[in-house]
Amino acid sequence: MLIFVIWAVASCSKDETPDQGTGGGNSGGSACDLSNVTFSETVWPIINANCTSCHSGASPGGGILLTNHATVAAQGAIGSGNPGSLLGAITHAAGNSPMPQGQAKLSDCNISKIRTWINAGMPDN
Ligand code: HEC
């Protein structure tokens, strides 16, 4: 038990130091690079890794497809709290179903990247 606690503390502090300045990845730390957000390089990898498993195919979750720019942008255009809102779902806003369903919330950094893309007008880049 004590050994586990020491290991947990040690591995936790180890996780917090690197990752800085790489601009990519899932790190929710202070080094969240929002300077070069694109659909293909930033938003799509997040959606594809966390959402597309359920939001694709003949009967996607909630009838919502998240399989390409057009379908992601369609949900992104809906304001938080309204049915189908991309940002509302991933920020767990009141009035939306928390996504990804049954899994941990996306990192703050990944949520910020998606918000940045939406605020930029959701370019297909
Ligand atoms: C395990 C399956 C699963 C995963 C993974 C998943 N979803 Fe969903 N999603 C669903 C189902 C089922 C619904 C419809 C039922 C509901 O709204 O709870 C839904 C509904 C939604 C809605 C509509 C919610 C609302 O409030 O109107 C949005 C938007 C959404 N998902 C986006 C996402 C995004 C973005 C991700 C990834 C970050 C994601 N989903 C991951 C299954 C999933």
Side-chain angles (χ1 to χ4, degrees):
M1 183 57 171
L2 182 62
I3 288 173
F4 173 78
V5 169
I6 291 168
W7 170 83
V9 169
S11 66
C12 181
S13 53
K14 220 198 294 169
D15 283 345
E16 279 168 6
T17 29
D19 277 335
Q20 305 244 335
T22 57
N26 236 349
S27 162
S30 54
C32 185
D33 185 359
L34 302 175
S35 62
N36 217 354
V37 169
T38 66
F39 180 74
S40 60
E41 297 293 325
T42 317
V43 174
W44 175 247
I46 299 169
I47 300 291
N48 194 30
N50 296 287
C51 319
T52 306
S53 57
C54 295
H55 289 282
S56 62
S59 46
I64 294 171
L65 284 172
L66 297 173
T67 50
N68 54 27
H69 174 265
T71 52
V72 176
Q75 306 310 134
I78 301 170
S80 292
N82 296 312
S85 169
L86 180 70
L87 202 54
I90 62 172
T91 59
H92 299 185
N96 285 118
S97 300
M99 292 291 143
Q101 193 182 67
Q103 294 167 38
K105 198 177 180 184
L106 298 180
S107 69
D108 288 348
C109 185
N110 281 344
I111 291 172
S112 295
K113 286 173 177 175
I114 292 173
R115 183 184 281 116
T116 297
W117 175 71
I118 291 173
N119 288 343
M122 301 184 291
D124 185 3
N125 55 4

